[in-house]
Amino acid sequence: PPRSTDAARQCLSGTVDVPVVADPSIAGNVKKFAEECNKAASPVGDRCVNMAVTPGDSDAVVNGFIGEWPGELGARPALWIPASSISSARLQAATGKESVSDARSLVNTPVVLAVRPQLKAALAQQSWAALPGLQTNPAALDSLNLPGWGSLRLALPSVGDSDASYLAAEAVAAASAPQGSPATAGLGAVNTLVGGQPKLADNTANEAWKALLTDGDPAVAPVHAVVTTEQQVFQR
């Protein structure tokens, strides 16, 4: 509808809330943008529009769309901004392609390994395909001139920063598949990498970071590296 006249700029017909759910890693910035929009936007059809942003982990959002929407995420959203296309693909796989009417990338950030400083030079020349071997070989880092470090001990969180782990798994599968074969031919390497990750109290990103940054000798830390995004590294 056309924008209202000056007489309607006082929200004569009230306010319409537009619920937005965003991944926790970006919800803070999205909320700032929404607040700026709320202050600057003119009423539409005599109603003021209020963008209300709630953080929501991808697992909770996908499960909510499939079943009953969780009340702690507020109203069922008009817009969902997940961490990556992995999450929207999971929703479409469960409910059908028509469940997503529009999907486009808003921002980009590289998937990276957050590592102890001592590992940076040792891993700089390694590829995604090398990670499963580094994960399962108990002397892998010793052979990279890091005596006493043992295996890679790479954590792949499935809660709290799980999109990065899914994307890293895709990269490992694609890099490990024989030339000319589909990425699915590299799933064995992914299973090796995931199966060899450190056993922690839970598989959250927070627990992985806590284990990575533990006090004491970093060589014997329970985690040497965490799959995450560059944006998350700066945030932490």
Side-chain angles (χ1 to χ4, degrees):
R3 292 194 176 275
S4 305
T5 63
D6 289 341
R9 291 186 184 277
Q10 299 178 10
C11 312
L12 297 181
S13 296
T15 299
V16 176
D17 287 332
V18 179
V20 178
V21 173
D23 188 85
S25 65
I26 56 175
N29 287 330
V30 174
K31 188 173 183 178
K32 291 178 182 178
F33 296 144
E35 290 172 348
E36 293 173 3
C37 177
N38 293 339
K39 292 177 182 178
S42 300
V44 179
D46 292 348
R47 292 177 181 268
C48 290
V49 176
N50 178 62
M51 307 286 286
V53 180
T54 302
D57 187 73
S58 293
D59 286 341
V61 175
V62 171
N63 291 335
F65 279 134
I66 294 173
E68 185 176 347
W69 183 256
E72 61 267 22
L73 294 184
R76 197 177 179 91
L79 174 65
W80 174 35
I81 309 177
S84 80
S85 59
I86 289 285
S87 295
S88 58
R90 288 172 58 201
L91 177 61
Q92 288 179 306
T95 61
K97 291 185 177 181
E98 67 280 357
S99 62
V100 177
S101 59
D102 187 13
R104 66 189 73 178
S105 178
L106 298 178
V107 295
N108 293 288
T109 183
V111 173
V112 298
L113 303 188
V115 301
R116 286 282 190 165
Q118 297 90 333
L119 266 68
K120 184 177 180 181
L123 296 179
Q125 303 304 316
Q126 302 298 316
S127 66
W128 289 107
L131 296 185
L134 294 173
Q135 184 86 301
T136 54
N137 180 354
L141 298 184
D142 298 82
S143 64
L144 296 178
N145 202 30
L146 288 169
W149 283 71
S151 62
L152 179 58
R153 300 178 203 165
L154 170 65
L156 296 97
S158 61
V159 179
D161 193 13
S162 58
D163 281 29
S165 294
Y166 287 122
L167 293 166
E170 283 190 352
V172 170
S176 302
Q179 188 172 5
S181 300
T184 51
L187 289 180
V190 175
N191 291 335
T192 298
L193 180 67
V194 174
Q197 67 177 316
K199 304 299 188 247
L200 304 174
D202 57 47
N203 209 15
T204 64
N206 283 335
E207 187 67 22
W209 277 92
K210 184 171 69 174
L212 174 68
L213 301 176
T214 186
D215 293 332
D217 183 1
V220 298
V223 168
H224 290 151
V226 178
V227 171
T228 185
T229 64
E230 186 179 77
Q231 177 259 350
Q232 284 278 57
V233 174
F234 282 109
Q235 186 179 58
R236 287 181 178 270

